[in-house]
Amino acid sequence: MPPFPFAVTDWSSIAPTEHPGEAGVAWWRTQNFGDIRVRLVEYSPGYKADHWCSKGHILFCLEGQLDTELADGRRFTLAPGMSYQCADDTDPHRSSTASGARLFIVD
C-alpha cells in the first residue's frame, strides 16, 4: 500500500452516490487513499450490473446475498461473512442480487 496517514472513517457521514445498473441501483460511499479506493456499497433488490468489470477488488459481503458471474460462465454466491478477491485485468465479472446486498470493497 502506498503511504497515507492513519485515519478513521465514519461511513454514515459520507454522502452516497447513485449508480444505476442494467436493473436496480447501487449506492456508493467512497473514500480514496492515494491509489486505493475503499467503498461501502449497497445494492437495491433486483440490482444487475450494466457492464463486465475487469478491475481487481477485495470484496466482503456484510448483508444480503450477492451473485457474481464470470465471463467464462462460472457463478459464485456470497452471503454475509464471505468475500472474493480478484486481480486487475483477470476474470471479468458482473454482479447481481435478487434480495439486495451491502458490501465493503477495496480496489
Side-chain angles (χ1 to χ4, degrees):
M1 286 190 187
F4 52 85
F6 180 88
V8 173
T9 302
D10 175 0
W11 290 99
S12 66
S13 71
I14 299 171
T17 57
E18 189 172 291
H19 301 265
E22 180 179 302
V25 65
W27 295 278
W28 298 8
R29 296 175 191 267
T30 305
Q31 288 279 72
N32 290 292
F33 303 96
D35 292 337
I36 298 172
R37 178 175 65 174
V38 180
R39 296 177 286 158
L40 186 60
V41 176
E42 185 170 348
Y43 290 121
S44 69
Y47 175 83
K48 183 176 182 181
D50 64 354
H51 66 283
W52 289 95
C53 180
S54 292
K55 177 97 174 113
H57 312 284
I58 299 171
L59 185 149
F60 182 77
C61 183
L62 298 165
E63 296 174 9
Q65 181 174 305
L66 184 74
D67 298 310
T68 300
E69 175 185 9
L70 303 185
D72 66 10
R74 290 180 290 159
R75 294 176 180 270
F76 301 90
T77 299
L78 297 184
M82 296 175 71
S83 66
Y84 77 65
Q85 302 73 225
C86 62
D88 287 342
D89 302 318
T90 64
D91 299 313
H93 52 279
R94 65 179 171 186
S95 296
S96 62
T97 176
S99 60
R102 192 166 181 233
L103 313 166
F104 187 77
I105 304 172
V106 178
D107 50 30

